[in-house]
Amino acid sequence: MSPSVFALVDCNNFYASCEKLFRPDLADKPVVVLSNNDGCIIARSKEAKKLGIKMGLPVFQVRDLLQQHQIVAFSSNYALYADMSQRVMSTLENLAPRVEVYSIDEAFLDLTGLAYCEGLTEFGQHVRRTVQKDIGITVCVGIAPSKTLAKLANHAAKTWAKTGGVVDLTGKERQRKLLALLPVNEVWGIGGKLTKRLEQLGITTALQLADAAPDYIRQHFSVVVERTVRELNGESCIALEDVAPTKKQIISSRAFGERISDKQQMREAISEYISRACKKLRQEQQQAKYLTVFLRTSPFSDKDAPYSASKSCELESPSSDTRVFLASAMRLLDSLWLNGYRYAKAGVMLADFYDPGVHQPGLFDEPIVQKESDQKLMQLMDTLNSKHGKTLWFASQGTTQQWGMKRELLSPAYTTNWKELPLVK
DNA sequence: TCTGGGGTCCTAGGACCC
DNA sequence: TCTGGGGTCCTAGGACCC
């Protein structure tokens, strides 16, 4: 068997690039994309990065900077990004036999065996050119014998322009040279907390982590970090998953555009989240048995009294019927709700999934018969809503949704709505 | 005044069983 | 007077990712 070779393909400044694609007038201008409710900076074009706009900063803290440099800000437009992502991914699927879509802007490719056919760097360049030409999005490619090293190779390709956007890290010598240059927190799987603890042991560079004894790391940390050490040494421990595993939970939660202090409004919000979560559940063709509802005040405010709580319940049998979850969620909300707080965020979580029809009821439980008409009703609702936009919903979701998300800088739905198709004049 | 959303995996510790 | 030990299951919380 030939040794594994992975490529990590990662889109540059993905959300910002998507916005620019439809606004050629902004080609060389600094652009940022904001989180839901226009709260934080979540993507920056390279011009914006150069101006010192940091990732994750609250918008109100950089408002002056945005204005001063005439940085163009967009509300996040996930419909657009998801659509562009799909186009990039299907292009990649035409270029490699096995592809794992790792996130909205990244994919791992399996290049095992390819090493003997053609130069890996040349292949990387081919990927870059093709995605650029077909979709208009710039990507960088990192190639290595393990996913963790491929991540680092990609980081190098992004950081140093002279690499031409492609780094082949299959050679041991180049691996060690790069690892020595990178701080340990650049390694995939090593976050803030682990970085601190590693530093206490005198491990500050990626190379020092690679050279640590796996047993020693296992003792002081966990099997996860041990695996990272092995991966850094070129031993592939994390396989390519080209078939997406079924989900284990579905979350729908959102910070409110305006604080909620009124219970009726909170009922609307929870109803809305339940409805979204159940729709996702049906799309996954799953049923769930476990439901959690949570709500909280803002963790940043020092004026408001803090309150954060969650409660869960188990259904008698798995379901994907919005009405069943709505009823339980309202009961949970009743037991969570306290008057007198300014709630900033709430959400729901579905878990404990079953394929329809395989759940084993308890010996003394009434056999549960799922009525066909109930499933048809849900199906009808999903079909109507996906065809004609949101036309059918539950009264409890409310009609005005005053608490709804703020998106004041939203770009048009260029690719997913005929009415908003860009015009060439 | 204003600070995102959606996931996964692992571990520790308690409950319970024999 | 002396009061075990090992296994499993579950959950909460922590850490990480994009």
Side-chain angles (χ1 to χ4, degrees), chain A residues 160-177:
Chain A
W160 291 291
K162 62 172 190 244
T163 59
V166 178
V167 168
D168 171 5
L169 209 59
T170 46
K172 203 76 196 171
E173 237 174 84
R174 296 191 80 184
Q175 286 169 21
R176 293 189 67 82
K177 217 169 123 189

Side-chain angles (χ1 to χ4, degrees), chain A residues 285-287 317-318 353-361 370:
Chain A
Q285 311 207 33
Q286 293 279 296
Q287 299 187 324
S317 69
F353 289 178
Y354 297 82
D355 289 323
V358 302
H359 178 249
Q360 181 83 50
Q370 303 220 333

Side-chain angles (χ1 to χ4, degrees), chain A residues 258-410:
Chain A
E258 286 170 27
R259 302 278 187 266
I260 286 185
S261 297
D262 173 57
K263 191 170 175 190
Q264 183 51 36
Q265 290 203 6
M266 184 64 90
R267 293 173 74 94
E268 282 183 21
I270 298 289
S271 301
E272 175 71 29
Y273 302 154
I274 285 285
S275 149
R276 286 185 205 181
C278 289
K279 187 178 162 202
K280 276 191 221 169
L281 185 63
R282 293 191 291 269
Q283 275 167 359
E284 293 281 314
Q285 311 207 33
Q286 293 279 296
Q287 299 187 324
K289 200 159 180 258
Y290 199 74
L291 167 67
T292 303
V293 173
F294 65 89
L295 40 77
R296 66 164 169 76
T297 56
S298 168
F300 304 104
S301 169
D302 34 42
K303 281 199 324 240
D304 291 325
Y307 176 56
S308 168
S310 78
K311 279 215 165 134
S312 308
C313 72
E314 203 170 338
L315 304 185
E316 272 175 37
S317 69
S319 173
S320 61
D321 190 319
T322 306
R323 294 165 298 172
V324 172
F325 285 97
L326 274 178
S328 298
M330 291 306 121
R331 267 200 306 278
L332 291 173
L333 173 57
D334 283 337
S335 66
L336 284 172
W337 177 265
L338 292 179
N339 279 320
Y341 288 99
R342 295 175 71 230
Y343 293 97
K345 181 177 179 174
V348 306
M349 211 165 95
L350 309 182
D352 196 10
F353 289 178
Y354 297 82
D355 289 323
V358 302
H359 178 249
Q360 181 83 50
L363 184 56
F364 302 107
D365 292 343
E366 288 288 317
I368 314 265
V369 185
Q370 303 220 333
K371 276 192 284 171
E372 208 181 318
S373 59
D374 287 348
Q375 291 186 17
K376 284 223 170 109
L377 178 65
M378 289 299 125
Q379 261 174 27
L380 180 70
M381 207 168 95
D382 292 341
T383 314
L384 277 175
N385 285 339
S386 69
K387 252 193 205 152
H388 306 292
K390 194 172 160 187
T391 44
L392 202 57
W393 68 90
F394 292 93
S396 57
Q397 286 167 246
T399 47
T400 54
Q401 304 200 335
Q402 285 163 25
W403 40 269
M405 195 168 37
K406 257 194 226 138
R407 297 212 284 183
E408 286 165 358
L409 307 163
L410 187 64

